[in-house]
Amino acid sequence: MSGVRNFRDVGGLPAADGTRVRDGVLFRSGHLAGATAEDAVFLSSLGLHTVFDFRNAADIKLDGPDIELPGVRHVNIPLNDPADGAEFWKLVRHGDLDQLRSILADGRAADRMTESYRKTVAERTAEHSRVVHAVAGGDVPVLLHCAAGKDRAGVTTAVILLALGVGHDAIEEDYLKSNEAHRRYRVRRGEGAGGGRSAEVMELLSPLFDARSAYLRAAFETIEDTWGGTERYLSDGLGIAPATRERLRERLLVV
């Protein structure tokens, strides 16, 4: 697609007991606001039941609302507070080089991303539970997206895959596909922003727009540190009963 970044079918990933994720039921992408007419035709051909949009109000104001897909349910579940980091992102888009150095240099950008992954897992259990229950309940085929399709969509996709019994390595392999050049989010810098899109500016911004193994592993570590493992995270953290997991597997797995 020309107007939608980072789209892919998560089908084919190996799960438990010799099964794999079924093709054509679980998709992920960046936002749909820039979808062209041809993109809309393609998306409509997927037979989507639900699109989950994890952007917040600030994201939607910046990029615009998703296009409407006839017959497809659109559900907005913000996975961070609209005011969280608003000033930070203002600096990212409009700050001069000295300001960017002050907030992003010396590992601070990567540290911020790592912490955001930890918080998404630890603090967004109700939202992740809602998505898993919806998918298990039949809201498929489903498309999960945020702005870039990397972080919030990436973590939520990982949660579903964990519930299916997909291993960390396979989840990480899919996650890292977001680094491919044709998938990456187009970094926005305001007109007149000091340093523009110079090499140093882009290097400072890079940790924010990379998919890095360390970020996803921080999410997995948070599950271990908080709940002692995936099973208790799913049962105690997300409130997913064995019967719900079984329905999820029936819908999303194939031998």
Side-chain angles (χ1 to χ4, degrees):
M1 288 186 286
S2 60
V4 179
R5 308 287 284 189
N6 206 8
F7 175 88
R8 57 189 179 274
D9 186 342
V10 186
L13 294 184
D17 303 321
T19 60
R20 61 179 177 82
V21 180
R22 191 186 303 271
D23 294 328
V25 293
L26 179 61
F27 302 94
R28 56 180 294 181
S29 75
H31 67 76
L32 308 184
T36 65
E38 291 78 11
D39 295 337
V41 170
F42 172 74
L43 290 166
S44 295
S45 75
L46 300 175
L48 293 171
H49 180 288
T50 301
V51 171
F52 283 107
D53 180 353
F54 303 125
R55 296 179 298 164
N56 59 43
D59 295 322
I60 295 171
K61 182 178 180 180
L62 176 68
D63 289 316
D66 283 347
I67 61 164
E68 292 188 14
L69 297 172
V72 179
R73 188 171 72 115
H74 184 278
V75 181
N76 179 225
I77 304 179
L79 282 182
N80 57 357
D81 187 273
D84 181 30
E87 289 302 312
F88 171 82
W89 287 106
K90 182 177 179 181
L91 285 174
V92 167
R93 295 183 178 111
H94 303 288
D96 62 28
L97 189 53
D98 286 340
Q99 290 173 313
L100 293 180
R101 287 174 181 147
S102 72
I103 63 171
L104 301 176
D106 301 321
R108 287 189 287 274
D111 288 346
R112 183 183 182 91
M113 293 301 299
T114 300
E115 182 59 23
S116 74
Y117 275 62
R118 294 188 185 279
K119 289 178 67 176
T120 299
V121 168
E123 299 178 4
R124 298 296 177 173
T125 52
E127 290 88 341
H128 285 140
S129 176
R130 180 181 172 188
V131 173
V132 173
H133 278 93
V135 174
D139 290 4
V140 291
V142 63
L143 171 61
L144 313 176
H145 82 77
C146 48
K150 171 178 73 80
D151 304 313
R152 291 163 288 188
V155 172
T156 307
T157 300
V159 170
I160 293 174
L161 294 175
L162 287 173
L164 293 172
V166 178
H168 287 190
D169 289 346
I171 295 172
E172 183 176 319
E173 182 178 356
D174 172 72
Y175 166 78
L176 292 175
K177 289 180 181 178
S178 294
N179 285 326
E180 296 169 4
H182 68 288
R183 300 186 187 276
R184 291 179 69 93
Y185 185 73
R186 292 188 177 94
V187 180
R188 296 193 178 198
R189 290 278 285 158
E191 290 187 17
R197 293 172 57 90
S198 68
E200 183 177 357
V201 166
M202 299 311 291
E203 182 177 354
L204 287 166
L205 294 175
S206 179
L208 305 177
F209 299 99
D210 289 346
R212 297 189 177 184
S213 296
Y215 302 161
L216 185 62
R217 291 174 186 175
F220 293 149
E221 289 167 4
T222 300
I223 289 173
E224 293 293 327
D225 294 343
T226 307
W227 290 277
T230 299
E231 294 303 313
R232 281 193 56 203
Y233 165 66
L234 294 169
S235 62
D236 299 354
L238 302 190
I240 299 172
T244 302
R245 288 186 69 181
E246 185 57 32
R247 287 196 300 272
L248 186 73
R249 293 185 179 114
E250 289 173 356
R251 297 190 188 283
L252 268 63
L253 295 181
V254 65
V255 176

